[in-house]
Amino acid sequence: MNISALPPAELRRRLRSDGLYFRTGAFTTCLRTRLEPVASSFSLLYNDYPLGDGPYADFHVELAPPRNWRRWIRPQIAFLSDGNAPFKPLPRDQAFPMFEWGLNWCVSSQAHHYLMIHAAVIEKNGAAAILPAPPGSGKSTLCAVLIQHGWRLLSDELTLIRRSDSRLIPLPRPVSLKNASIEVMKRYAPNAVFSPSVHDTIKGTVAQMKAPATSVARADEPAHPGLIVFPRYEAGAPLALTPVPRTRAFMRVADNAFNYAQLGSAGFDALAGVVRHSDCYDFRYSVIDEAIQAFDRLSMQAGRS
């Protein structure tokens, strides 16, 4: 049963009491909160996700006011994981982005049975494309555009590589957008669902775009690697696709890994398996439609070289 089957009153009752259990791919999370803005955005963006079975969960998280005077004056909110607060509290109106950031932290700090890369990952025609890129490169915007044009979302932030066979494990959750990218996507995908924009965060203005229901429904299907693309948005620049040697791509992806060094030889073997089966490119773009066409061509050619 999906979250959408719960009446609004029952969803909020679960959030306020023992918590609401839900699954995102390989992980089950229990969320507790009494904050209506969080409940509202969660219901909007997560209604396609399957309910989980309590009391077991990989992550038990809660969003609640800190136990000090900031409950009443310039109210703040704390993110709790298993009762502990790994971050400083944030202003109350940033509660839902904090939930998304906190859930990313839970995965990246605990799921070491995977090799974890800070990169978006999408799939089409049987070939998954890993998109490692620094902040400001246009990675999330490109990911958001492509999943509105037939690509399956595995993750916007975390590429999970199964160590046994180098398959890519889906973690489809809302795509995080910031600043100008929010309005770009609202114009480009008017039928997409967005959370309310939150201003003045550490990342500027942020909003989340709902993951396609088709991607959520396929969250139990691992993907085969086929592409590693290092994207960079550059205003006014012509589209450029430049092959990258696999040895160089390996090192650049390893630099974006959360736990490559920690996993030792197992991390090396997992990443080597991905790179071995992937065509690797630097990709510069400025026009969204050109980027879509280029990626569709790449998906048809992936793995042939």
Side-chain angles (χ1 to χ4, degrees):
M1 184 169 73
N2 289 349
I3 291 172
S4 60
L6 294 178
E10 174 62 13
L11 182 146
R12 285 157 174 79
R13 186 195 68 78
R14 294 192 187 190
L15 288 173
R16 292 172 179 173
S17 55
D18 294 332
L20 187 144
Y21 290 79
F22 66 99
R23 291 193 291 116
T24 53
F27 303 103
T28 296
T29 300
C30 176
L31 170 64
R32 294 184 63 216
T33 187
R34 291 181 172 274
L35 297 174
E36 176 55 32
V38 175
S40 178
S41 290
F42 180 84
S43 176
L44 179 70
L45 299 182
Y46 281 85
N47 62 342
D48 294 322
Y49 292 77
L51 289 164
D53 297 321
Y56 170 80
D58 296 281
F59 315 119
H60 287 83
V61 302
E62 183 176 2
L63 291 153
R67 296 176 180 177
N68 58 28
W69 57 273
R70 296 303 291 271
R71 283 173 170 263
W72 298 280
I73 302 174
R74 299 177 64 185
Q76 291 185 330
I77 200 72
F79 176 89
L80 304 177
S81 174
D82 292 326
N84 300 311
F87 318 115
K88 293 181 179 179
L90 292 178
R92 186 185 179 99
D93 63 357
Q94 297 182 23
F96 190 74
M98 193 179 197
F99 163 68
E100 291 291 332
W101 300 332
L103 205 48
N104 286 339
W105 176 85
C106 288
V107 176
S108 62
S109 64
Q110 298 181 47
H112 295 296
H113 48 295
Y114 301 112
L115 174 63
M116 294 179 285
I117 311 295
H118 183 212
V121 57
I122 54 179
E123 180 266 339
K124 191 172 187 179
N125 297 321
I130 298 172
L131 311 178
S137 62
K139 167 186 66 70
S140 292
T141 306
L142 181 61
C143 175
V145 165
L146 291 171
I147 64 174
Q148 294 294 320
H149 286 82
W151 287 74
R152 172 163 72 119
L153 175 68
L154 277 76
S155 178
D156 169 46
E157 288 287 340
L158 296 170
T159 296
L160 305 180
I161 302 173
R162 192 162 62 190
R163 290 156 53 181
S164 61
D165 58 8
S166 297
R167 297 284 180 87
L168 306 178
I169 304 303
L171 183 62
R173 294 200 0 249
V175 176
S176 181
L177 300 169
K178 57 183 180 292
N179 301 320
S181 295
I182 300 169
E183 293 307 317
V184 168
M185 284 308 305
K186 285 183 176 180
R187 292 194 300 270
Y188 202 84
N191 295 324
V193 176
F194 298 84
S195 69
S197 294
V198 178
H199 306 282
D200 300 322
T201 78
I202 193 172
K203 299 184 179 184
T205 299
V206 299
Q208 286 73 38
M209 187 183 81
K210 185 179 181 180
T214 52
S215 296
V216 176
R218 297 179 62 191
D220 293 330
E221 299 178 25
H224 293 271
L227 293 162
I228 298 173
V229 183
F230 302 93
R232 177 166 58 92
Y233 173 81
E234 186 176 321
L239 186 141
L241 188 67
T242 307
V244 174
R246 286 190 172 98
T247 52
R248 176 59 180 154
F250 183 105
M251 297 306 299
R252 290 171 67 180
V253 176
D255 286 342
N256 281 273
F258 290 99
N259 60 345
Y260 174 77
Q262 179 177 343
L263 294 180
S265 61
F268 177 91
D269 292 342
L271 183 53
V274 169
V275 175
R276 186 182 305 120
H277 294 97
S278 298
D279 300 332
C280 308
Y281 300 95
D282 278 320
F283 181 71
R284 182 184 66 190
Y285 75 101
S286 62
V287 179
I288 288 177
D289 288 334
E290 291 179 354
I292 295 169
Q293 293 170 12
F295 264 76
D296 283 346
R297 289 192 297 269
L298 286 175
S299 75
M300 298 298 293
Q301 300 167 4
R304 296 181 183 176
S305 61

